[in-house]
């Protein structure tokens, strides 16, 4: 969880802006909510290495030097990260040198982009091999220096199925192309990620791109033309799928509604669960047949485990309000023959007890419902039919009910 400069500022950054952003993270209570990383996303260095072969910071943008900047960030109780893809010096064949440089500058996090790839007859590697080089350099420096390794975030936009191998080298990996400030982009990314939620756990995370971003959480203003309900859906999905949560909006002009979404404590509690590290997954696609890809209408019914109960996400992908119904035992985490209390994670209300079924009424267009269900004991006696799912429902006398 943290802040990323790219969507709000692109290359228009300097040390004053970075420090202002870090201080706003403190004063707006974002750091208290868990956002602790301040990531400088590109355009911070000179275009060429120095005579010793090292990357050097842009003297105009960062006159105090990068180490002084990261010291200031650390003094605020935050961490610092780095990233580049705008044809500033890359790290191929300089991995060990750069891993040391980033450490000496005080960085904690490296988002490493698969940009500006040398010709094949130079690299003799695929994407996985190029990331292995940097991962090895980080590990080697950590061992030789006795210092913690950089967190390594792989930015390869879903190429070569990073969810199948990237945890060998880093802690997160991009699963799709860059996010755009429109609902269709949110829906497309969520659709793609619905098919490999299994890859996320405590040790590695599918990265769905910027979550609380200038592209998508400056509601009806700035550079993010999402409605309030769409912004809630965006944040809920990214958080419950355990994607990294990086803010990218202009914090100085962030609206009250944006900050309320970004700091929802009950949603963040699921994202930061210290016992369960896995993502929610679809149990029913809804509009589409199950396991059918649809970039316009991704899966609508999701559930997953948490240390405090079963989490549900209901996503209305229609352009009009809709009632959304499901049987509790459609989720693999719900026990048959039990009843469950219902907690709404957006209204922050306890909404009674669900027995066998639940209906969310009039879910807004592109809106979301996030629920936490907790076991409340046996369901009442005498319910009919005797099985919530009428498939091989068998009486003790051998009579099949269904």
């Amino acid at each position: 969880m943290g802040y990323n400069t790219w969507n709000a500022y692109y290359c228009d950054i300097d040390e004053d802006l970075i420090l202002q952003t870090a201080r706003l993270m403190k004063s707006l209570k974002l750091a208290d909510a868990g956002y602790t990383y301040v990531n400088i996303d590109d355009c911070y260095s000179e275009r060429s290495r120095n005579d010793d072969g090292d990357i050097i910071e842009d003297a105009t943008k960062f006159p105090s030097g990068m180490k002084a900047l990261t010291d200031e960030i650390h003094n605020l109780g935050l961490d610092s990260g780095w990233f580049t893809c705008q044809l500033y010096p890359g790290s191929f064949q300089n991995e060990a040198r750069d891993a040391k440089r980033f450490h000496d500058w005080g960085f904690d996090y490296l988002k490493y982009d698969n940009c500006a790839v040398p010709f094949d007859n130079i690299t003799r590697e695929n994407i996985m091999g190029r990331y292995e080089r940097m991962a090895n350099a980080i590990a080697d420096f950590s061992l030789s220096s006795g210092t913690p390794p950089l967190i390594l975030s792989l930015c390869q936009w879903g190429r070569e199925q990073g969810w199948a191998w990237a945890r060998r080298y880093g802690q997160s990996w991009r699963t799709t192309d860059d996010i755009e400030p429109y609902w269709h982009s949110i829906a497309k990314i969520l659709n793609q990620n619905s098919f490999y939620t299994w890859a996320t756990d405590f040790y590695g995370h599918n990265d769905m791109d910027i979550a609380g971003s200038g592209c998508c959480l400056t509601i009806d203003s700035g550079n993010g033309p999402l409605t309030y309900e769409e912004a809630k859906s965006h944040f809920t999905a990214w958080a419950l799928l355990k994607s990294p949560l990086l803010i990218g909006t202009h914090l100085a002009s962030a609206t009250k509604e944006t900050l309320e979404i970004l700091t929802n404590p009950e949603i963040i509690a699921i994202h930061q669960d210290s016992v369960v590290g896995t993502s929610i997954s679809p149990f029913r696609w809804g509009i589409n047949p199950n396991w059918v890809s649809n970039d316009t209408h991704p899966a609508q019914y999701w559930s997953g485990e948490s240390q405090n109960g079963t989490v549900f996400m209901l996503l209305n992908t229609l352009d009009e309000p809709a009632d959304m119904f499901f049987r509790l035992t459609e989720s693999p985490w719900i026990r048959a023959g039990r009843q469950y209390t219902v907690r709404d994670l957006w209204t922050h209300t306890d909404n009674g007890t669900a027995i066998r079924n639940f209906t969310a009424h009039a879910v807004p267009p592109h809106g979301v419902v996030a629920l936490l269900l907790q076991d409340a004991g046996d369901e009442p006696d005498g319910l009919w039919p005797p099985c919530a799912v009428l498939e091989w429902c068998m009486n003790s006398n051998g009579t099949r009910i269904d």
Side-chain angles (χ1 to χ4, degrees):
M1 295 177 66
Y3 188 89
N4 181 292
T5 59
W6 182 253
N7 280 358
Y9 302 109
Y10 299 101
C11 284
D12 190 18
I13 58 171
D14 58 33
E15 66 182 47
D16 290 338
L17 175 66
I18 303 303
L19 288 174
Q20 178 196 43
T21 299
R23 291 172 184 136
L24 283 168
M25 290 176 68
K26 297 287 287 187
S27 64
L28 295 174
K29 307 298 184 185
L30 290 164
D32 291 343
Y35 297 93
T36 58
Y37 282 87
V38 181
N39 295 342
I40 302 169
D41 196 331
D42 224 324
C43 308
Y44 81 95
S45 74
E46 298 289 356
R47 288 287 184 180
S48 300
R49 293 173 179 267
N50 65 15
D51 291 341
D52 294 327
D54 289 323
I55 295 173
I56 52 175
E57 59 271 80
D58 185 309
T60 302
K61 293 180 178 179
F62 299 95
S64 302
M66 201 57 67
K67 182 62 166 64
L69 176 63
T70 58
D71 284 347
E72 288 267 9
I73 291 171
H74 288 149
N75 288 340
L76 291 168
L78 303 171
D79 297 307
S80 181
W82 172 88
F83 166 81
T84 188
C85 195
Q86 292 297 304
L87 303 185
Y88 290 83
S91 290
F92 183 73
Q93 296 181 337
N94 287 279
E95 292 87 358
R97 173 189 297 277
D98 290 352
K100 180 179 184 303
R101 186 67 155 176
F102 301 148
H103 173 269
D104 291 346
W105 274 346
F107 288 140
D108 308 284
Y109 176 107
L110 173 63
K111 185 177 181 186
Y112 196 48
D113 206 310
N114 188 55
C115 288
V117 179
F119 290 166
D120 291 352
N121 64 359
I122 297 174
T123 69
R124 306 293 181 185
E125 296 283 4
N126 60 5
I127 291 176
M128 182 168 65
R130 292 192 288 274
Y131 279 106
E132 182 178 25
R133 293 172 63 101
M134 178 53 82
N136 288 342
I138 291 170
D140 290 345
F141 182 80
S142 177
L143 286 172
S144 65
S145 65
T147 57
L150 287 165
I151 290 175
L152 179 59
S153 172
L154 288 69
C155 186
Q156 36 38 271
W157 317 290
R159 308 297 190 268
E160 295 185 11
Q161 300 176 325
W163 49 89
W165 52 263
R167 68 176 58 249
R168 300 179 189 178
Y169 308 120
Q171 288 70 51
S172 67
W173 46 88
R174 281 284 298 280
T175 55
T176 66
D177 288 320
D178 290 351
I179 197 170
E180 295 179 346
Y182 306 102
W183 174 252
H184 70 76
S185 178
I186 306 298
K188 180 177 180 179
I189 290 172
L190 188 56
N191 174 58
Q192 290 174 277
N193 279 269
S194 67
F195 297 99
Y196 29 83
T197 58
W198 52 266
T200 286
D201 59 23
F202 280 126
Y203 306 101
H205 300 267
N206 290 328
D207 183 351
M208 298 160 69
D209 203 10
I210 306 301
S213 68
C215 85
C216 303
L217 273 181
T218 45
I219 303 159
D220 286 334
S221 64
N223 56 333
L226 290 187
T227 68
Y228 175 69
E229 298 297 338
E230 289 170 344
K232 283 171 55 182
S233 296
H234 174 206
F235 183 72
T236 302
W238 266 235
L240 300 189
L241 270 76
K242 308 290 180 76
S243 176
L245 297 181
L246 294 174
I247 301 168
T249 193
H250 298 81
L251 291 183
S253 58
T255 65
K256 178 176 179 287
E257 291 83 2
T258 293
L259 294 173
E260 286 177 351
I261 290 173
L262 291 172
T263 58
N264 182 327
E266 296 192 70
I267 297 293
I268 290 175
I270 304 300
H271 182 266
Q272 293 289 302
D273 194 316
S274 62
V275 176
V276 178
T278 49
S279 164
I280 61 170
S281 298
F283 61 84
R284 175 154 47 96
W285 264 247
I287 290 175
N288 307 307
N290 290 343
W291 300 103
V292 172
S293 177
N294 186 322
D295 285 345
T296 303
H297 297 290
Q300 295 183 283
Y301 296 87
W302 303 65
S303 71
E305 296 178 282
S306 83
Q307 64 176 302
N308 294 315
T310 302
V311 181
F312 285 84
M313 181 178 77
L314 315 180
L315 186 72
N316 179 14
T317 64
L318 298 174
D319 297 331
E320 58 188 16
D323 292 345
M324 301 190 70
F325 166 90
F326 66 94
R327 297 187 309 275
L328 301 190
T329 53
E330 288 185 82
S331 165
W333 315 115
I334 292 291
R335 295 169 57 190
R338 307 287 283 181
Q339 57 188 332
Y340 288 80
T341 60
V342 180
R343 174 75 176 177
D344 189 309
L345 302 182
W346 278 107
T347 63
H348 309 299
T349 56
D350 296 319
N351 295 354
T353 302
I355 301 172
R356 294 198 174 182
N357 306 315
F358 182 86
T359 301
H361 296 282
V363 181
H366 304 167
V368 72
V369 174
L371 306 171
L372 180 67
L373 270 61
Q374 294 180 305
D375 194 307
D378 290 343
E379 67 181 18
D381 294 334
L383 295 180
W384 190 264
C387 301
V389 178
L390 285 175
E391 183 178 18
W392 280 98
C393 180
M394 191 72 70
N395 192 303
S396 61
N397 64 13
T399 302
R400 184 170 168 176
I401 303 299
D402 57 313

